[in-house]
Amino acid sequence: MRRVYLDNNATTPLAPEVLEAMRPYLTEQYGNASSIHWFGQQAKSAVENAREQMAKLIHARPNDVVFTSGGTESDNASIFGIVEAAPPHGRYEGKHVIVSSIEHHAVLNAAQALEKRGTRVTYVRVGPDGIVDPKDIEAAIRPETVLISIMHANNELGTVQPIEEIGRVALEHDVYFHTDAVQAVGKIPVDVEKLGVDLLSISAHKFHGPKGTGALYIRRGTNLAPLLYGGHHERDRRAGTENVAGAVGAGKAAELAALNLESSAVRMAALRDRLEDSILGSIPLAIRNGDRERRLPTTSNIRFEHVEGEGFVIAMDLKGIACSTGAACSSGSVEPSHVLSAIGLSKAQARSSIRFSLGRLSTAEDIDYALEVLPRVVEQLRSLSPNYKKEAVSSPLSAVSRP
Ligand code: PLP
């Protein structure tokens, strides 16, 4: 069966060049990067080369990049690390943190854990377009605010947040600013200087690198308590024997992403727009969720009224097409997506929403095949929906099926 992968926001395939770059460090170059002998120094120089590659992608100094186990760790390290380090050190009470209501659970659940320890958290709303208003962030700042954490690009809607403007607000009020850029890095230009962030989370598997590897950009001078205690690895900022092959893979993936950033973005956006425009133009009661312009080139989130999302994903999978109802880590949850609720969708609307996310390997043929299969799947599922039949009778124009 033909297989089409339109779930690249969940994860991307490992690039063959990345696998090749990693291979020696999984086989003959097995040294511990902290050892002083030849084996260790080979590993260390590979990690340092990877650090330079990663730093270049985000316009950072290599020394400000720390390798981690991925986006979740980078988010947790930033959030707990800033709050714990803020004076009085080690205390969570009496401090305040600002996040948006559409953050990934790696941030949201960390914020909730902070609340249990006594930190106050403000969850800033987003508009129906899925974008945070920097004025709302500014209004939420209090004298005891120690951190603002706003994601760069949303994983469900693809909406890109005004990070640069929020960076200016944070600087003006002298508050640390973290951004979860897991969905943005490798897909759109990311420049830590321009953005004005103090901390920025990266995950390699979102741009054709290995899973379980990521990075955290930490601006020089940032007062951050460590998440893990152990050896003096990563200049005392992240304990644990370096994942040499992982870092090398992440670095290579960063280098590849930087090489093709502009051209890949243009190509993916064109494919995404063809998919989306064709769906919106030919399938009745299909509506885009989130802002059309301010979003990643890879992502389209569409709700098909009177279609049950999980059923849609399964029916598409049976035809060989992988898409999703939202974040991979939330699938199976009975609650509708917090992101879609935050932009004002009802439970039913949230449950009928589908995320299509393209990657560098997506082709025109993939989109053609999806467009061939999709209308029939929607029609089939709607034929099972009593509400759709009712609406079709009461409003024949809006609900009429086209071939
Ligand atoms: N943040 C965002 C926005 C994500 O989309 C993801 C992954 O889905 C993560 C964080 C978690 O990253 P990782 O899978 O590397 O832990």
Side-chain angles (χ1 to χ4, degrees):
M1 192 192 345
R2 194 192 161 100
R3 292 269 170 206
V4 169
Y5 187 70
L6 295 177
D7 199 14
N8 286 275
N9 284 13
T11 195
T12 56
L14 195 73
E17 299 93 324
V18 171
L19 178 61
E20 281 319 304
M22 292 172 72
R23 200 186 294 277
Y25 301 96
L26 294 164
T27 50
E28 70 268 21
Q29 299 281 1
Y30 48 78
N32 182 324
S34 299
S35 301
I36 56 171
H37 48 60
W38 181 84
F39 291 92
Q41 292 313 298
Q42 293 295 105
K44 183 171 173 53
S45 97
V47 171
E48 293 315 316
N49 182 49
R51 203 185 307 283
E52 279 174 27
Q53 291 167 316
M54 187 61 83
K56 209 165 167 194
L57 181 63
I58 57 167
H59 207 249
R61 297 185 335 146
N63 281 351
D64 293 347
V65 172
V66 170
F67 284 110
T68 67
S69 68
T72 301
E73 182 188 323
S74 296
D75 287 346
N76 277 266
S78 301
I79 291 166
F80 289 105
I82 289 289
V83 176
E84 194 178 319
H89 190 279
R91 295 250 332 241
Y92 287 86
E93 306 89 358
K95 297 174 186 174
H96 174 243
V97 168
I98 300 170
V99 302
S100 85
S101 52
I102 61 165
E103 295 300 310
H104 188 271
H105 280 117
V107 168
L108 274 190
N109 288 349
Q112 279 168 21
L114 280 181
E115 284 189 282
K116 287 200 184 113
R117 298 180 190 187
T119 306
R120 302 261 183 215
V121 179
T122 301
Y123 300 86
V124 170
R125 63 171 200 103
V126 295
D129 52 4
I131 312 268
V132 177
D133 185 342
K135 287 197 200 82
D136 288 341
I137 306 277
E138 187 156 32
I141 295 176
R142 309 176 190 168
E144 65 273 23
T145 307
V146 294
L147 176 69
I148 298 168
S149 179
I150 303 292
M151 71 198 319
H152 196 332
N154 182 262
N155 45 306
E156 294 189 40
L157 300 167
T159 46
V160 175
Q161 305 302 325
I163 297 300
E164 225 176 299
E165 290 171 51
I166 301 168
R168 281 197 288 272
V169 169
L171 185 66
E172 225 167 85
H173 292 267
D174 199 18
V175 175
Y176 279 129
F177 181 28
H178 164 251
T179 187
D180 172 345
V182 163
Q183 291 291 346
V185 170
K187 299 174 189 168
I188 57 173
V190 171
D191 179 330
V192 291
E193 291 307 330
K194 255 197 204 156
L195 295 176
V197 293
D198 300 298
L199 299 138
L200 181 140
S201 300
I202 301 172
S203 175
H205 75 97
K206 304 292 186 182
F207 54 99
H208 305 280
K211 293 172 184 58
T213 313
L216 177 60
Y217 161 76
I218 310 171
R219 182 178 294 280
R220 223 174 330 166
T222 302
N223 191 16
L224 193 72
L227 192 64
L228 304 174
Y229 290 87
H232 298 290
H233 309 89
E234 297 287 281
R235 298 166 170 254
D236 279 330
R237 288 172 302 188
R238 201 272 185 179
T241 300
E242 293 87 347
N243 175 359
V244 178
V248 166
K252 187 71 188 174
E255 184 187 73
L256 292 175
L259 271 181
N260 304 310
L261 201 61
E262 300 277 321
S263 58
S264 294
V266 169
R267 202 182 66 81
M268 288 189 291
L271 289 177
R272 186 272 316 271
D273 289 346
R274 189 153 75 76
L275 175 71
E276 187 176 277
D277 293 346
S278 175
I279 291 173
L280 299 183
S282 66
I283 297 180
L285 298 176
I287 299 143
R288 178 184 37 252
N289 291 324
D291 195 80
R292 184 179 194 279
E293 305 305 328
R294 289 169 292 172
R295 63 178 166 160
L296 295 172
T298 56
T299 312
S300 174
N301 191 309
I302 298 177
R303 67 178 190 270
F304 299 92
E305 303 269 347
H306 308 297
V307 169
E308 200 277 307
E310 295 282 327
F312 179 92
V313 169
I314 293 165
M316 291 288 275
D317 190 40
L318 290 173
K319 300 283 185 192
I321 301 171
C323 55
S324 75
T325 51
C329 19
S330 306
S331 55
S333 154
V334 286
E335 281 305 304
S337 142
H338 67 284
V339 175
L340 300 177
S341 301
I343 62 167
L345 299 199
S346 68
K347 280 188 179 180
Q349 287 173 325
R351 287 215 180 87
S352 66
S353 295
I354 302 296
R355 178 184 72 184
F356 303 98
S357 51
L358 286 72
R360 287 214 303 269
L361 303 187
S362 300
T363 63
E365 291 73 33
D366 290 344
I367 302 303
D368 290 341
Y369 182 59
L371 287 172
E372 184 188 317
V373 168
L374 197 145
R376 267 175 286 151
V377 167
V378 170
E379 216 170 284
Q380 235 171 27
L381 291 170
R382 279 182 174 165
S383 70
L384 306 173
S385 158
N387 287 345
Y388 179 68
K389 282 184 208 145
K390 249 188 258 156
E391 200 163 310
V393 172
S394 63
S395 166
L397 274 183
S398 66
V400 73
S401 282
R402 288 172 220 171

